[in-house]
Structure formats: C-alpha cells, structure tokens
Amino acid sequence: MQLRKIFITGHTSGIGKAIYQYLEEKEHYVDGGSRINGYDITKPNTVQHIIRNYDVLINNAYGSGAQVDLLKDVYAGWKNRKKTIINIGSWQSNQLDGRPLSALNYSVNKKALETYSHWISMNDTECRSMMYNVGYVDTPLARQHMKEWPKEKQEAVLKRAMDPHEIGFMIEFMIQNKHSFREVTHHG
C-alpha cells in the first residue's frame, strides 16, 4: 500500500470525525482542518496548505457554496497531477421536491459539488475527483439534530442509518483503489 498524506475538512464532528478516526486507526497519515483548529474552508490559507502538503483531500466540511469553491481552488493547484479528491456529498442532492428552503439550498449545493466533481473526473486522467454520496450516518452530531423529531421517525431512520466505520472503510477503499469511481452512493 502506497503511503498517502490525507487531509480532511470538518474533521472534528459528524461524518468528518468518523472518517478521521477510522483512517487514523488504520495508521494512515491523516490530518484535519476545521474552524475549531483555524482552518475555515472559505479562507485561502486552507487551500494553499492543502495543495502544498497533501496527496488526498477529503472535501467534507459543508458551508453553503464553500465546499464547491474549495474543490475548484484545490483542483486548480492539482490539475493534471497524481492527486485524489473525495467529495462528501449527500443522497439529498437528488431530493428537491417539497423541501423547505434551508434543505433545498443544501441539496442544490451538494448537486453543484457533484456536477463539478464529475466534470473533473471526465476531463483529467491524473487528478482523481470522486463523489461519495452518503445517507443518514449514525453520529452523535446527527443524533443531536434529530432530537426534535417524532420518536417513530427517529426509530425508522436509525434502523437504516449507516455506521460511521462503514463510511471510513469506503473512503479508504476509494483512496487505495487504482481506479477512479465517478460516484458512489450509499444510503443505508
């Protein structure tokens, strides 16, 4: 296995924390950035740090259009180089009907991320850009969000929720595999 230097955005909570912990347990060289430790994906210093020091970006942190902007900026520095970008999307990028505006904005931004990632994968044979669209993942942060939901809805969602280690396993597989996956959708 080739040792790759991995950087993950949003590594201190939710899916990002689960991915970070999984890769660290598997003894990968992994580093993370989040607002808590001074890396804001909307700030240029984060982009320059990633481009200069890492082989793999796991583009996880969500911030409206910032996730797409980060992909565009990192790709500009990694174009035609043997680098890997894994963009964490959502199965909700295809769920647009009857949603409240806040959820619709989330879906549209994830769809934009997916579209740009697909464009890179079709136009660059060196830099791999892949989408990993996930569904509900059972993390403490996700459970916090569902506290206000009716009990029946909580139980139904948790029955099909993905274990965070499943996400880490798939990310590791995508990094190590020599083939590029345009998109993986995994919604439990």
Side-chain angles (χ1 to χ4, degrees), residues 13 22-23 43 47 49 72 89 99-100 106 109-110 155 166 168:
S13 65
Y22 180 89
L23 294 173
K43 305 293 185 217
V47 173
H49 179 75
K72 289 164 63 176
R99 300 178 64 78
Y106 177 82
N109 279 292
K110 290 296 186 175
E155 291 170 358
E166 292 175 1

PDB file of all heavy atoms in Angstrom, residues 13 22-23 43 47 49 72 89 99-100 106 109-110 155 166 168:
ATOM      1  N   SER A  13     -16.253  16.801  13.953  1.00  0.00           N
ATOM      2  CA  SER A  13     -17.603  16.348  14.327  1.00  0.00           C
ATOM      3  C   SER A  13     -18.240  15.613  13.156  1.00  0.00           C
ATOM      4  O   SER A  13     -17.772  15.680  12.016  1.00  0.00           O
ATOM      5  CB  SER A  13     -18.481  17.534  14.749  1.00  0.00           C
ATOM      6  OG  SER A  13     -18.688  18.400  13.661  1.00  0.00           O
ATOM      7  N   TYR A  22     -11.377   6.696  11.758  1.00  0.00           N
ATOM      8  CA  TYR A  22     -11.194   5.413  11.068  1.00  0.00           C
ATOM      9  C   TYR A  22      -9.822   5.371  10.390  1.00  0.00           C
ATOM     10  O   TYR A  22      -9.081   4.401  10.540  1.00  0.00           O
ATOM     11  CB  TYR A  22     -12.300   5.191  10.032  1.00  0.00           C
ATOM     12  CG  TYR A  22     -12.158   3.879   9.305  1.00  0.00           C
ATOM     13  CD1 TYR A  22     -12.749   2.719   9.799  1.00  0.00           C
ATOM     14  CD2 TYR A  22     -11.418   3.782   8.129  1.00  0.00           C
ATOM     15  CE1 TYR A  22     -12.599   1.506   9.150  1.00  0.00           C
ATOM     16  CE2 TYR A  22     -11.264   2.573   7.475  1.00  0.00           C
ATOM     17  CZ  TYR A  22     -11.858   1.442   7.983  1.00  0.00           C
ATOM     18  OH  TYR A  22     -11.708   0.242   7.330  1.00  0.00           O
ATOM     19  N   LEU A  23      -9.494   6.409   9.634  1.00  0.00           N
ATOM     20  CA  LEU A  23      -8.221   6.423   8.909  1.00  0.00           C
ATOM     21  C   LEU A  23      -7.036   6.459   9.870  1.00  0.00           C
ATOM     22  O   LEU A  23      -6.009   5.818   9.628  1.00  0.00           O
ATOM     23  CB  LEU A  23      -8.171   7.599   7.944  1.00  0.00           C
ATOM     24  CG  LEU A  23      -9.169   7.529   6.788  1.00  0.00           C
ATOM     25  CD1 LEU A  23      -9.161   8.829   5.989  1.00  0.00           C
ATOM     26  CD2 LEU A  23      -8.898   6.337   5.883  1.00  0.00           C
ATOM     27  N   LYS A  43     -11.468  30.253   3.542  1.00  0.00           N
ATOM     28  CA  LYS A  43     -10.259  31.087   3.599  1.00  0.00           C
ATOM     29  C   LYS A  43      -9.141  30.515   2.718  1.00  0.00           C
ATOM     30  O   LYS A  43      -8.878  29.313   2.751  1.00  0.00           O
ATOM     31  CB  LYS A  43      -9.735  31.179   5.040  1.00  0.00           C
ATOM     32  CG  LYS A  43     -10.752  31.663   6.035  1.00  0.00           C
ATOM     33  CD  LYS A  43     -11.128  33.105   5.808  1.00  0.00           C
ATOM     34  CE  LYS A  43     -12.060  33.577   6.895  1.00  0.00           C
ATOM     35  NZ  LYS A  43     -13.077  34.461   6.491  1.00  0.00           N
ATOM     36  N   VAL A  47      -6.634  26.418   1.489  1.00  0.00           N
ATOM     37  CA  VAL A  47      -6.390  25.869   0.153  1.00  0.00           C
ATOM     38  C   VAL A  47      -4.891  25.729  -0.099  1.00  0.00           C
ATOM     39  O   VAL A  47      -4.418  24.679  -0.525  1.00  0.00           O
ATOM     40  CB  VAL A  47      -7.044  26.759  -0.932  1.00  0.00           C
ATOM     41  CG1 VAL A  47      -6.669  26.298  -2.313  1.00  0.00           C
ATOM     42  CG2 VAL A  47      -8.552  26.777  -0.754  1.00  0.00           C
ATOM     43  N   HIS A  49      -2.448  25.471   2.009  1.00  0.00           N
ATOM     44  CA  HIS A  49      -1.890  24.428   2.884  1.00  0.00           C
ATOM     45  C   HIS A  49      -2.158  23.036   2.299  1.00  0.00           C
ATOM     46  O   HIS A  49      -1.265  22.192   2.263  1.00  0.00           O
ATOM     47  CB  HIS A  49      -2.502  24.567   4.284  1.00  0.00           C
ATOM     48  CG  HIS A  49      -2.036  23.538   5.261  1.00  0.00           C
ATOM     49  ND1 HIS A  49      -0.790  23.583   5.836  1.00  0.00           N
ATOM     50  CD2 HIS A  49      -2.637  22.428   5.756  1.00  0.00           C
ATOM     51  CE1 HIS A  49      -0.647  22.549   6.653  1.00  0.00           C
ATOM     52  NE2 HIS A  49      -1.761  21.842   6.623  1.00  0.00           N
ATOM     53  N   LYS A  72     -12.898  23.657  -6.461  1.00  0.00           N
ATOM     54  CA  LYS A  72     -12.371  24.397  -7.610  1.00  0.00           C
ATOM     55  C   LYS A  72     -10.960  24.919  -7.336  1.00  0.00           C
ATOM     56  O   LYS A  72     -10.072  24.815  -8.187  1.00  0.00           O
ATOM     57  CB  LYS A  72     -13.312  25.548  -7.968  1.00  0.00           C
ATOM     58  CG  LYS A  72     -14.614  25.063  -8.591  1.00  0.00           C
ATOM     59  CD  LYS A  72     -15.725  26.074  -8.611  1.00  0.00           C
ATOM     60  CE  LYS A  72     -15.468  27.296  -9.404  1.00  0.00           C
ATOM     61  NZ  LYS A  72     -16.655  28.187  -9.450  1.00  0.00           N
ATOM     62  N   GLY A  89     -20.702  14.068  -0.555  1.00  0.00           N
ATOM     63  CA  GLY A  89     -21.981  14.607  -0.969  1.00  0.00           C
ATOM     64  C   GLY A  89     -23.099  14.018  -0.134  1.00  0.00           C
ATOM     65  O   GLY A  89     -22.881  13.551   0.991  1.00  0.00           O
ATOM     66  N   ARG A  99     -39.312  20.499  -0.388  1.00  0.00           N
ATOM     67  CA  ARG A  99     -38.402  20.666   0.747  1.00  0.00           C
ATOM     68  C   ARG A  99     -38.410  22.117   1.217  1.00  0.00           C
ATOM     69  O   ARG A  99     -38.569  23.029   0.422  1.00  0.00           O
ATOM     70  CB  ARG A  99     -37.001  20.254   0.337  1.00  0.00           C
ATOM     71  CG  ARG A  99     -36.957  18.784  -0.115  1.00  0.00           C
ATOM     72  CD  ARG A  99     -35.587  18.376  -0.568  1.00  0.00           C
ATOM     73  NE  ARG A  99     -34.602  18.432   0.490  1.00  0.00           N
ATOM     74  CZ  ARG A  99     -34.457  17.519   1.448  1.00  0.00           C
ATOM     75  NH1 ARG A  99     -35.262  16.492   1.491  1.00  0.00           N
ATOM     76  NH2 ARG A  99     -33.524  17.634   2.349  1.00  0.00           N
ATOM     77  N   PRO A 100     -38.194  22.347   2.518  1.00  0.00           N
ATOM     78  CA  PRO A 100     -38.070  23.729   2.996  1.00  0.00           C
ATOM     79  C   PRO A 100     -36.833  24.372   2.366  1.00  0.00           C
ATOM     80  O   PRO A 100     -35.903  23.683   1.938  1.00  0.00           O
ATOM     81  CB  PRO A 100     -37.907  23.584   4.510  1.00  0.00           C
ATOM     82  CG  PRO A 100     -37.610  22.165   4.761  1.00  0.00           C
ATOM     83  CD  PRO A 100     -38.069  21.372   3.585  1.00  0.00           C
ATOM     84  N   TYR A 106     -29.223  23.237   0.679  1.00  0.00           N
ATOM     85  CA  TYR A 106     -28.266  22.160   0.935  1.00  0.00           C
ATOM     86  C   TYR A 106     -28.215  21.215  -0.263  1.00  0.00           C
ATOM     87  O   TYR A 106     -27.139  20.889  -0.770  1.00  0.00           O
ATOM     88  CB  TYR A 106     -28.668  21.414   2.211  1.00  0.00           C
ATOM     89  CG  TYR A 106     -27.789  20.235   2.540  1.00  0.00           C
ATOM     90  CD1 TYR A 106     -26.581  20.424   3.197  1.00  0.00           C
ATOM     91  CD2 TYR A 106     -28.176  18.942   2.204  1.00  0.00           C
ATOM     92  CE1 TYR A 106     -25.772  19.338   3.511  1.00  0.00           C
ATOM     93  CE2 TYR A 106     -27.376  17.855   2.517  1.00  0.00           C
ATOM     94  CZ  TYR A 106     -26.170  18.057   3.163  1.00  0.00           C
ATOM     95  OH  TYR A 106     -25.366  16.989   3.468  1.00  0.00           O
ATOM     96  N   ASN A 109     -26.536  22.852  -3.332  1.00  0.00           N
ATOM     97  CA  ASN A 109     -25.083  22.951  -3.175  1.00  0.00           C
ATOM     98  C   ASN A 109     -24.395  21.595  -3.326  1.00  0.00           C
ATOM     99  O   ASN A 109     -23.323  21.496  -3.927  1.00  0.00           O
ATOM    100  CB  ASN A 109     -24.731  23.591  -1.832  1.00  0.00           C
ATOM    101  CG  ASN A 109     -24.843  25.090  -1.885  1.00  0.00           C
ATOM    102  OD1 ASN A 109     -24.060  25.742  -2.557  1.00  0.00           O
ATOM    103  ND2 ASN A 109     -25.829  25.648  -1.205  1.00  0.00           N
ATOM    104  N   LYS A 110     -24.997  20.550  -2.793  1.00  0.00           N
ATOM    105  CA  LYS A 110     -24.422  19.210  -2.956  1.00  0.00           C
ATOM    106  C   LYS A 110     -24.485  18.766  -4.418  1.00  0.00           C
ATOM    107  O   LYS A 110     -23.567  18.108  -4.914  1.00  0.00           O
ATOM    108  CB  LYS A 110     -25.132  18.193  -2.050  1.00  0.00           C
ATOM    109  CG  LYS A 110     -24.852  18.390  -0.569  1.00  0.00           C
ATOM    110  CD  LYS A 110     -23.380  18.168  -0.223  1.00  0.00           C
ATOM    111  CE  LYS A 110     -23.142  18.218   1.273  1.00  0.00           C
ATOM    112  NZ  LYS A 110     -21.767  17.894   1.643  1.00  0.00           N
ATOM    113  N   GLU A 155     -36.764   6.300  15.144  1.00  0.00           N
ATOM    114  CA  GLU A 155     -36.550   4.853  15.090  1.00  0.00           C
ATOM    115  C   GLU A 155     -36.416   4.357  13.660  1.00  0.00           C
ATOM    116  O   GLU A 155     -35.560   3.519  13.354  1.00  0.00           O
ATOM    117  CB  GLU A 155     -37.690   4.126  15.807  1.00  0.00           C
ATOM    118  CG  GLU A 155     -37.662   4.339  17.316  1.00  0.00           C
ATOM    119  CD  GLU A 155     -38.916   3.817  18.002  1.00  0.00           C
ATOM    120  OE1 GLU A 155     -39.846   3.319  17.329  1.00  0.00           O
ATOM    121  OE2 GLU A 155     -38.961   3.925  19.248  1.00  0.00           O
ATOM    122  N   GLU A 166     -18.433   2.283   8.412  1.00  0.00           N
ATOM    123  CA  GLU A 166     -18.705   1.928   7.013  1.00  0.00           C
ATOM    124  C   GLU A 166     -18.228   3.039   6.087  1.00  0.00           C
ATOM    125  O   GLU A 166     -17.692   2.772   5.008  1.00  0.00           O
ATOM    126  CB  GLU A 166     -20.205   1.706   6.790  1.00  0.00           C
ATOM    127  CG  GLU A 166     -20.779   0.502   7.471  1.00  0.00           C
ATOM    128  CD  GLU A 166     -22.294   0.406   7.308  1.00  0.00           C
ATOM    129  OE1 GLU A 166     -22.896   1.273   6.635  1.00  0.00           O
ATOM    130  OE2 GLU A 166     -22.864  -0.533   7.849  1.00  0.00           O
ATOM    131  N   GLY A 168     -15.813   5.268   6.737  1.00  0.00           N
ATOM    132  CA  GLY A 168     -14.348   5.231   6.739  1.00  0.00           C
ATOM    133  C   GLY A 168     -13.800   4.117   5.871  1.00  0.00           C
ATOM    134  O   GLY A 168     -12.834   4.309   5.121  1.00  0.00           O
TER     135      GLY A 168
END
